[in-house]
Amino acid sequence: MRRRTILTGTALGVAGAALGLARPAGARAGSAGGEVLAIRGVTVIDASGGARRGQTVLIRGGRILDAGPAQRVPVPHGARIVDGAGKHLIPGLADMHTHAVGIDDTDPELYVLNGVTTTRQMSGGALARQWRQQVADGARLGPRWSIGSRIVDGSPSLWDDLDGDGSVHLAVENPAQAREAVRQEHAAGAEFIKTYTRLTRASFLAVADESNRLGLPFLGHVPDFVQLTEASDRGMRTVEHLFEIWYDTSADEDRLRAAVAAVPIGRGEYNGWFNRMHPIEYAAARSHDRRKAEKVFGRLARNGTFCTPTLALHETNDKPEQIDRHDPRYRYFSADVIGYWDWALENQYLPGRTPNQISRSKELFRRRLALTADLAAAGVPLMTGTDLGTTYLMPGFSLHDELALLVRAGLEPIQALAAATVNPARYLGRRDSGVVARGAVADLVLLDADPLHDIRNTTRVNSIVVQGRLIGPAERARLLADIEALAGRPKPAAAAPVATAPVASRGCPC
C-alpha cells in the first residue's frame, strides 16, 4: 500500500509577492546592467575539470565572463567582490524529475535557496508554466524550467478517476490516438513527451515514431509491455525510475514478462497495479543476471539513453517505516502539507505491511542501490531527480538527499555532482550550463565545505548565483525565515484529514 501524491494549488504567485522575491529595480550583481561580480580565491569544482583551487570567477549579465587562476583573471575596478577563500563553487544543481506542488506556492524559491537552478516538470500543467513565466518576468525567484507533456498512458489508465479534468494525463486506446496525443502536446508547447506504464507496445511505438518525426524527445516510464532495450533502440531519451529495468536483466525474463502482461488493471487502479506488480518486481530483482545486465546497460550507453534513478522516491516507497516524521526541514511547509503527508503514511503506506514484506522491501532497495552503481559503471549517463510530489519529498532539500543516495550506491562524489550538473545540461542540449567556465550561464552555488570530501556538504550553502543574481548568506537566511513564517507553525497535533488537501491525484510514481 505505497501510494504517492501530486498536490496542486490555485493561489499562484502569492508566495512570491508575500516574500518580496521580485528582482529589485537596479539589482546589483549579475543584473542586466554592467556591474561585475567577482568571486575571488575560491576552489571551483565541476565534472569537467575536477577541483581547481585559487580561482577567480567573474560574472556579468547572467554569464560567466571568465574563470581561472587568480593570477590570470584580474578583478576589474569597481567590481563587487565575494571572498571565496576556504569555499567551494559548483554549478547550479538540477532536479530532473519534479511535479509542480502548489499548496504552499513556495516551490520555486525553495529550489533556488537550496542551489537547484534547473528543474524538469514531468506532467505538464498550468502551474509550472505560470511559475516559469513569473520567473522570466522577474516577479519571483525560481529555477529554469523544462516542461513536458501531459502523461501519455494506455486505456484504462492508472490515472483515470484520479485526474478528473484531464490536466495531467491522456489515455490512448490505440496507435492512432497515441499519434494524435503526441501532435496535440507538441502543438501545446511541450518540450518532450512523457510516456507511462500502461501504454500498449503498439501505442508506445506510435508515440516513439510520431515524436521522432516531430523532433520531439520522448521519455518516462518504460511501459509494462515493452522491453527496456527496445525502448532505448527506438530513441527513448531518458528512463525514469528503476521499476522497469529488472525485467530485461532477469534470468527469468520470459516468465516474468508473461506475469506482468497478465496483471489486470481497472480505471485509476494504481494501488492494485502496485500491489500486484511488487512480487513480480521482487522476483525479477532476485533473478538479476549480471552478465545479461552488462549487455543491456552497454546497449543503453551506446544509444545515449539517460537514466534518472529517483532513489529518494524508491527509499520512500520501499522503506516507509523509516521516514523521519520530525525532519527539521519540515518547518518550511504548511500544516496542510505536513498533515496530508502524515495522513498518507498512516492510511496508505503503512497499513498491512507484514515483517516479511518489510524485509523484502529493504532488500529490494539495497538491490536498487547496486543497480544504480552498475548503470554508472556501464557508462549509462545518470541524472538526479526526486519525483517531487511524492509524500515527504521537498523542493530543493530532497535533491541533496538524492546526491547522498547516489554516493551511498557507490558513485564517487564527482560522479554524483555530474548527475546533477553536466549530465542534465547534456540532456537538455545546453552546452553553456553545468560547468564553471567562460561563457557559461551564471547559475552557481557557493559552499562552505568540500563536497568531494563529503557529498553532504552540498547542503552547506553559503550563497547562490541564479541567472547572474547573487543571493548572499544574509539574504538567503532572511528568505528562508520568511518562508518558514509563511508556512506557519507549529505542526498540528493531529494529522489533517485527506479531504482538507486539494488533491489532483493520488497514486503513481511518475
Side-chain angles (χ1 to χ4, degrees), residues 102-183:
I103 285 182
D104 292 345
D105 193 37
T106 54
D107 288 19
E109 291 77 24
L110 283 173
Y111 281 127
V112 169
L113 295 176
N114 280 284
V116 176
T117 58
T118 296
T119 62
R120 184 175 61 168
Q121 164 71 13
M122 298 299 291
S123 52
L127 183 57
R129 288 193 291 271
Q130 181 146 354
W131 281 345
R132 179 170 63 180
Q133 191 60 52
Q134 290 168 345
V135 172
D137 292 343
R140 69 187 304 176
L141 187 66
R144 302 173 193 269
W145 253 284
S146 174
I147 301 177
S149 70
R150 287 177 288 176
I151 293 165
V152 181
D153 198 11
S155 182
S157 168
L158 302 182
W159 283 86
D160 291 341
D161 299 334
L162 299 174
D163 169 33
D165 62 359
S167 61
V168 174
H169 91 296
L170 291 166
V172 301
E173 296 181 356
N174 53 53
Q177 290 184 5
R179 290 180 183 276
E180 176 58 29
V182 172
R183 291 192 291 267

Side-chain angles (χ1 to χ4, degrees), residues 49-325:
R52 308 185 292 279
R53 301 184 185 280
Q55 303 284 293
T56 294
V57 178
L58 305 180
I59 298 161
R60 183 175 64 193
R63 292 277 172 176
I64 297 175
L65 285 177
D66 204 355
Q71 60 269 29
R72 185 186 68 76
V73 183
V75 176
H77 177 73
R80 183 181 182 185
I81 298 174
V82 173
D83 184 6
K87 296 179 174 58
H88 299 76
L89 189 69
I90 63 173
L93 304 171
D95 188 337
M96 297 299 285
H97 195 121
T98 73
H99 299 273
V101 178
I103 285 182
D104 292 345
D105 193 37
T106 54
D107 288 19
E109 291 77 24
L110 283 173
Y111 281 127
V112 169
L113 295 176
N114 280 284
V116 176
T117 58
T118 296
T119 62
R120 184 175 61 168
Q121 164 71 13
M122 298 299 291
S123 52
L127 183 57
R129 288 193 291 271
Q130 181 146 354
W131 281 345
R132 179 170 63 180
Q133 191 60 52
Q134 290 168 345
V135 172
D137 292 343
R140 69 187 304 176
L141 187 66
R144 302 173 193 269
W145 253 284
S146 174
I147 301 177
S149 70
R150 287 177 288 176
I151 293 165
V152 181
D153 198 11
S155 182
S157 168
L158 302 182
W159 283 86
D160 291 341
D161 299 334
L162 299 174
D163 169 33
D165 62 359
S167 61
V168 174
H169 91 296
L170 291 166
V172 301
E173 296 181 356
N174 53 53
Q177 290 184 5
R179 290 180 183 276
E180 176 58 29
V182 172
R183 291 192 291 267
Q184 182 178 341
E185 294 302 294
H186 179 253
E191 295 178 38
F192 57 88
I193 298 297
K194 168 72 180 292
T195 60
Y196 208 65
T197 301
R198 298 301 290 181
L199 275 173
T200 66
R201 179 175 178 272
S203 292
F204 175 82
L205 295 179
V207 167
D209 184 64
E210 193 67 19
S211 297
N212 289 331
R213 188 184 70 81
L214 294 171
L216 192 63
F218 68 97
L219 54 100
H221 292 211
V222 178
D224 288 346
F225 313 103
V226 179
Q227 284 186 301
L228 170 66
T229 48
E230 181 177 33
S232 175
D233 289 346
R234 294 285 180 154
M236 193 170 197
R237 193 75 173 112
T238 76
V239 174
E240 302 300 304
H241 318 301
L242 301 176
F243 294 108
E244 304 95 346
I245 292 178
W246 300 115
Y247 301 104
D248 276 61
T249 67
S250 170
D252 199 14
E253 180 180 2
D254 291 343
R255 183 184 69 82
L256 293 173
R257 286 199 177 278
V260 168
V263 170
I265 294 296
R267 288 174 54 86
E269 195 185 359
Y270 171 74
N271 263 6
W273 173 83
F274 192 97
N275 291 332
R276 294 182 186 109
M277 290 292 289
H278 182 72
I280 307 174
E281 183 192 11
Y282 179 71
R286 291 290 298 259
S287 59
H288 180 69
D289 184 326
R290 291 187 64 87
R291 291 184 179 178
K292 191 175 181 183
E294 288 177 2
K295 295 179 181 178
V296 170
F297 298 162
R299 195 156 153 189
L300 265 62
R302 289 192 297 274
N303 287 342
T305 305
F306 289 71
C307 180
T308 314
T310 62
L311 292 173
L313 161 74
H314 287 299
E315 185 173 44
T316 299
N317 274 353
D318 292 338
K319 300 194 295 182
E321 293 82 8
Q322 297 184 16
I323 289 172
D324 181 1
R325 297 175 69 169

